[in-house]
Amino acid sequence: NILLSGPKDIPILISPGMALREIDDRLSQEGIIKNGDLTNYENLEKMKNIYGFLAEADSLEGFLLPDTYKFRQNSDIETAITKFLDNFENKAMSVIEPTDYSYKPGWGVDKKNDSVLKLLIIASYLEKEIPDNEERKIAAGIIEKRLKIGMPLQIDATVLYNKCLGRFLECSALVKSDLKKDSEYNTYTRRGLTPTPIANPSLDAIKAVIDKKDSNYLFYISDPKTKKTIFSENLEQHNINRAKYLLNNK
């Protein structure tokens, strides 16, 4: 019976907000793949020919939908990736494709596969910074507004992603000097979106981008105690909130 049934599948939970390198670490620790197989995958063009939603992607970051997967030890890397991408196609694309959704100018998400990446980039920001789905929708509207007016997004999580080389677990907290180190992922020194998502967002975060809310807000911060998002309409209110919720909590 053991010989007929073969090796048992290993259930692996991919939590919302895990980054590509963290997923690679987890799978390699379980003996499913070799360390680096996922992050150094070289046949992305081959996968693009199969999965149209990968059209603009330069890596798999953002496309490994959080869920529970079952793998076998010493899996072929392409078999493992196909399992991830099939799940993304079945669950995420069913949410994205019916959406007549557009951001302007030029960075929008609509029914075209080549816009999926941009949706995932924004969803990854929300996943890492804002726990509440309703607050995520407001923040998605703020991100849209900032992009339209050419204002830097100033999202701490993007800087953290670069600081710790694509990992968030056990990453030290940001300091002021980190915000001044220029990189493609520093949304303080550069305008626009980062080249890739900074994590793998959940369906809830993806839906929040699609269902963004317009508001008068232009700034937001997270209360470190309650994790509640504090919104403000202008820089003066924002500085007051920073002093109240951040400076006094150090």
Side-chain angles (χ1 to χ4, degrees):
N1 285 337
I2 293 172
L3 291 173
L4 287 172
S5 63
K8 292 183 178 179
D9 289 338
I10 303 171
I12 299 292
L13 174 63
I14 304 302
S15 302
M18 286 183 73
L20 181 66
R21 287 186 180 277
E22 294 168 341
I23 296 174
D24 189 298
D25 291 343
R26 179 74 192 283
L27 295 184
S28 60
Q29 287 166 4
E30 294 289 342
I32 295 167
I33 62 173
K34 295 178 182 177
N35 185 258
D37 276 358
L38 200 55
T39 53
N40 299 324
Y41 181 65
E42 296 180 347
N43 291 327
L44 190 60
E45 291 301 318
K46 175 182 176 181
M47 289 299 173
K48 287 182 180 182
N49 292 330
I50 303 172
Y51 302 97
F53 53 78
L54 287 172
E56 286 188 321
D58 291 326
S59 81
L60 293 168
E61 190 77 271
F63 294 91
L64 308 185
L65 188 70
D67 206 340
T68 298
Y69 298 84
K70 290 184 178 180
F71 299 98
R72 292 192 174 179
Q73 283 193 321
N74 301 312
S75 292
D76 175 75
I77 185 59
E78 292 200 354
T79 300
I81 290 173
T82 297
K83 183 167 290 191
F84 278 118
L85 297 180
D86 282 348
N87 192 47
F88 184 92
E89 185 169 51
N90 292 333
K91 295 184 178 179
M93 291 306 295
S94 65
V95 171
I96 296 169
E97 281 188 326
T99 305
D100 184 13
Y101 175 81
S102 180
Y103 277 146
K104 296 179 180 179
W107 60 279
V109 178
D110 52 28
K111 295 180 180 180
K112 297 179 181 177
N113 285 326
D114 63 3
S115 294
V116 174
L117 175 64
K118 296 167 186 176
L119 185 153
L120 294 177
I121 291 173
I122 300 168
S124 72
Y125 301 164
L126 303 180
E127 187 71 68
K128 297 306 297 184
E129 293 215 326
I130 302 175
D132 182 81
N133 284 326
E134 291 304 311
E135 293 175 349
R136 284 174 176 172
K137 295 175 185 178
I138 298 172
I142 292 174
I143 291 172
E144 174 188 14
K145 191 183 303 185
R146 285 194 170 201
L147 288 167
K148 283 183 176 180
I149 65 177
M151 181 178 178
L153 299 181
Q154 298 179 319
I155 294 174
D156 289 356
T158 66
V159 184
L160 200 61
Y161 179 82
N162 186 70
K163 176 180 180 178
C164 290
L165 305 177
R167 293 182 176 88
F168 291 93
L169 297 174
E170 300 180 2
C171 186
S172 59
L174 291 177
V175 294
K176 284 186 177 181
S177 59
D178 292 326
L179 304 181
K180 298 177 181 179
K181 294 177 182 177
D182 183 49
S183 79
E184 292 182 309
Y185 290 88
N186 190 332
T187 50
Y188 283 83
T189 62
R190 299 198 186 189
R191 292 177 172 82
L193 300 172
T194 53
T196 70
I198 59 170
N200 292 277
S202 62
L203 279 177
D204 284 341
I206 292 171
K207 291 175 183 177
V209 183
I210 294 171
D211 299 330
K212 70 185 191 312
K213 287 186 176 180
D214 294 327
S215 71
N216 294 325
Y217 300 126
L218 194 57
F219 299 87
Y220 68 87
I221 59 170
S222 296
D223 183 344
K225 290 183 177 179
T226 66
K227 304 303 180 184
K228 182 177 176 60
T229 306
I230 312 300
F231 298 99
S232 51
E233 295 182 10
N234 53 56
L235 184 59
E236 182 180 359
Q237 290 178 357
H238 180 61
N239 286 335
I240 292 172
N241 286 335
R242 281 174 53 83
K244 180 179 180 181
Y245 294 98
L246 301 182
L247 300 180
N248 293 335
N249 281 294
K250 290 185 175 180

